[in-house]
Amino acid sequence: MNKIITMTTKGTFTLPAILRAKMGVSNRGDKLQVEFDEVNQQIIIKKPVSLEEIQKDLAQYSTKAPPLLNPSGFYKKRKPRT
């Protein structure tokens, strides 16, 4: 989808509502990440990854271990080196 947007007198651009909806940004304070590709003279706008999304992605690699209730019992006592 290509859209042409116009800069205001204050130097700002408005992202069209259809693009905001597709990106899932609809609330005041939502964030977008902006990158500038100097080689191709392109601006890349994307939604930053949230902590919840990272946790969801990493959950597939974790095991369902029981909670560690006694941290001191987790470590074996080592004998001092002589």
Side-chain angles (χ1 to χ4, degrees):
M1 171 186 305
N2 288 328
K3 292 282 184 186
I4 295 177
I5 57 177
T6 304
M7 184 171 68
T8 68
T9 56
K10 293 184 178 183
T12 63
F13 292 88
T14 300
L15 198 58
I18 190 164
L19 294 175
R20 292 192 310 266
K22 287 183 176 281
M23 294 184 79
V25 290
S26 58
N27 299 315
R28 183 176 186 186
D30 284 350
K31 307 280 187 211
L32 290 174
Q33 180 178 340
V34 180
E35 296 176 16
F36 181 64
D37 179 352
E38 292 188 33
V39 174
N40 297 311
Q41 295 289 297
Q42 294 180 338
I43 294 174
I44 302 155
I45 301 173
K46 55 187 171 182
K47 191 173 177 182
V49 180
S50 70
L51 179 59
E52 290 81 17
E53 291 171 320
I54 293 171
Q55 288 173 332
K56 185 177 150 185
D57 289 344
L58 292 176
Q60 64 182 321
Y61 301 108
S62 67
T63 59
K64 300 282 183 182
L68 184 60
L69 301 175
N70 181 7
S72 60
F74 179 75
Y75 299 98
K76 293 181 182 179
K77 294 185 179 181
R78 295 182 171 215
K79 294 179 184 176
R81 290 186 177 182
T82 53

